[in-house]
Amino acid sequence: MADGEKMNGASVLCRALKEQGVEYMFGIVGVPVFEIGMAAQMEGMKYVGMRNEQAACYAAQAIGYLTAKPAVCLTVPGPGMLHCIGGMVNAQENGWPVIVISGSLDLDLEQKGSFQECNQVASALPFVKFSARPNCIERIPFYVEKAVRTTTYGRPGAAYIDMPADFIRNSAPVGSIRWPPTAPPPPRCKADDEGVRKAIDLLFNAERPLVIIGKGAAYSGAEACVRRFIDTHQFPFLPTPMAKGLVPDNHPCCVAPARSRALQNADVILLLGARLNWMLHFGEAPRFQKDVKIIQVDILQEELHNNVQATVALCGDIDTVVKQMNAEIETMPGKFVFSQTGPWWRSLKEKIEANAKSTEMQISEPSPPMNYYNAFHEITQLLPEDYLLVSEGSNTMNISHTLFMNN
């Protein structure tokens, strides 16, 4: 496109998204965002039309989690944007990258009581890492780059960009548009070496060690180095629900069937991208030992020591930090393997066997109606080796974690 030509704001926005590596857009089109939906497809983005803005926001952040790149949720003004608040909060709290883009009123109509007028930038601000409205068409790419970078750097999260209707339809000379470079991938930060050595020493001297693998490890793509760590040293491990399959559930070191016993009796716990929130009972007694020592690895400094003060806190990318640990261990004399014949492993295996018998009894229960164990067992017989499990609800989710093995 020659410098003398013009480009409308919708095209500038979508070209900027594409140049920053954004591939997917989910949304519901209407006035004034029709042009954005069309421009996205003309730029080669994959547009998925939805029936509800909140669902569109959930879909976009799921893609963000799976690809480590933000997808876009596109909405109309007012209620359309406000329907996304639940999705933005979900993305922010879960650490998933997503960019919500909403149309808004023409700037010269602001504060005049325009149709569905709402201060959308302020409405989004408490629930996102970045919320802004471009101040001219020429600077739209600046805001896109900042949204992409903000949603993926540090702990991932949500961003909001407000697009006035006149910016969407009006045009600017191509030569005046300011195109920033593509945001580099997030830096893979290391933990401090002394902290890594302390963590290894603490874990290798534990009587009842436990590794808890969280979704931060899954997002980081740490499966190879975590699998190597577990395979080499034979530590018992638990996956959180979003980390199931990072190391296969049928791995001999997986103690998920003895989850309560493992949590209640471990004396040293290595947290890999898992938070001591409600999912892990806040790390508190009686579900944990009062004097349990925590080795916490997290990408966000503010998460360190949250709820329970860690004995060793390592801030960094999970994949990078576990690779640090593996490399440090290689420099040590001898090869440490935690004995599976010792009292800790014996206690865990006894509980695993007892729970397996209990599960088998419930699977075999003949009385109608079918219970969760009956039904899930039948489903597992029909599943391929590789599948993605999406579960919801208390019993549905909890029991499915026991019966559905993720590889």
Side-chain angles (χ1 to χ4, degrees):
M1 190 175 281
D3 283 355
E5 297 184 48
K6 292 187 174 183
M7 183 182 291
N8 66 24
S11 297
V12 173
L13 172 71
C14 294
R15 181 162 299 182
L17 288 166
K18 184 69 174 177
E19 289 190 355
Q20 293 298 330
V22 178
E23 296 288 339
Y24 293 88
M25 181 179 288
F26 298 80
I28 300 176
V29 293
V31 178
V33 297
F34 280 114
E35 291 89 346
I36 294 176
M38 291 187 290
Q41 293 171 82
M42 291 180 68
E43 289 295 333
M45 296 178 67
K46 301 174 181 68
Y47 180 85
V48 182
M50 305 289 284
R51 292 178 179 270
N52 176 274
E53 290 87 1
Q54 188 176 30
C57 194
Y58 285 141
Q61 64 195 253
I63 287 288
Y65 173 72
L66 293 170
T67 65
K69 295 179 183 178
V72 167
C73 173
L74 178 68
T75 82
V76 295
M81 180 271 170
L82 295 174
H83 287 169
C84 288
I85 295 292
M88 286 190 276
V89 173
N90 188 67
Q92 191 73 354
E93 292 302 315
N94 276 299
W96 297 347
V98 69
I99 300 172
V100 175
I101 298 175
S102 179
S104 61
L105 72 162
D106 288 21
L107 288 183
D108 63 356
L109 298 178
E110 197 166 32
Q111 300 300 324
K112 296 176 73 172
S114 184
F115 178 62
Q116 295 184 338
E117 181 173 354
C118 171
N119 189 339
Q120 296 171 179
V121 174
S123 297
L125 190 59
F127 312 111
V128 297
K129 296 178 73 176
F130 173 71
S131 179
R133 172 196 286 168
N135 58 359
C136 63
I137 294 172
E138 289 84 353
R139 295 192 73 225
I140 289 173
F142 167 86
Y143 289 86
V144 169
E145 187 275 342
K146 189 162 188 176
V148 169
R149 183 162 39 84
T150 303
T151 59
T152 54
Y153 277 42
R155 175 179 285 167
Y160 174 71
I161 298 177
D162 199 68
M163 285 293 294
D166 46 347
F167 282 18
I168 294 172
R169 65 174 182 268
N170 292 345
S171 300
V174 171
S176 68
I177 299 170
R178 307 170 196 176
W179 302 96
T182 301
R188 295 275 187 165
C189 299
K190 290 184 175 182
D192 67 280
D193 292 333
E194 182 59 28
V196 169
R197 285 189 286 269
K198 287 181 180 178
I200 294 169
D201 182 66
L202 186 62
L203 193 62
F204 282 12
N205 285 287
E207 294 181 2
R208 301 181 303 280
L210 178 67
V211 178
I212 300 179
I213 305 170
K215 70 171 176 278
Y219 185 87
S220 176
E223 53 267 24
C225 63
V226 172
R227 176 70 182 267
R228 178 184 167 198
F229 185 80
I230 296 295
D231 284 345
T232 302
H233 308 297
Q234 299 293 292
F235 287 119
F237 77 89
L238 288 173
T240 62
M242 289 295 292
K244 274 172 65 67
L246 186 98
V247 179
D249 285 342
N250 61 4
H251 191 284
C253 291
C254 181
V255 295
R259 181 180 188 271
S260 293
R261 179 170 292 185
L263 295 178
Q264 286 176 336
N265 294 285
D267 62 348
V268 175
I269 294 176
L270 172 62
L271 286 177
L272 296 177
R275 289 180 280 185
L276 291 175
N277 56 13
W278 67 274
M279 188 72 72
L280 289 172
H281 316 289
F282 310 104
E284 296 174 347
R287 303 304 293 268
F288 287 74
Q289 292 276 309
K290 286 184 178 179
D291 57 351
V292 63
K293 295 179 172 61
I294 301 293
I295 303 165
Q296 188 177 13
V297 186
D298 201 279
I299 199 169
L300 185 69
Q301 287 188 350
E302 289 85 346
E303 186 62 36
L304 300 174
H305 308 293
N306 199 20
N307 293 327
V308 175
Q309 185 166 3
T311 305
V312 180
L314 302 175
C315 186
D317 170 70
I318 308 299
D319 182 56
T320 303
V321 174
V322 177
K323 285 177 178 174
Q324 275 183 273
M325 295 178 73
N326 286 335
E328 179 65 28
I329 293 166
E330 285 184 356
T331 67
M332 305 166 92
K335 181 180 179 182
F336 180 89
V337 178
F338 193 75
S339 173
Q340 292 213 9
T341 61
W344 179 226
W345 260 117
R346 285 202 307 271
S347 173
L348 294 172
K349 288 178 178 179
E350 287 170 3
K351 188 62 175 176
I352 290 171
E353 291 171 5
N355 285 346
K357 290 178 182 177
S358 175
T359 298
E360 187 60 39
M361 289 177 63
Q362 295 187 75
I363 289 172
S364 304
E365 171 59 51
S367 301
M370 296 178 77
N371 62 40
Y372 283 101
Y373 293 87
N374 299 146
F376 289 171
H377 175 72
E378 294 301 324
I379 294 170
T380 61
Q381 306 308 300
L382 303 173
L383 290 172
E385 182 178 1
D386 293 318
Y387 59 88
L388 184 67
L389 175 66
V390 181
S391 60
E392 188 56 74
S394 178
N395 289 338
T396 303
M397 181 175 70
N398 292 338
I399 298 173
S400 71
H401 291 163
T402 302
L403 291 180
F404 288 87
M405 296 293 101
N406 290 106
N407 295 313

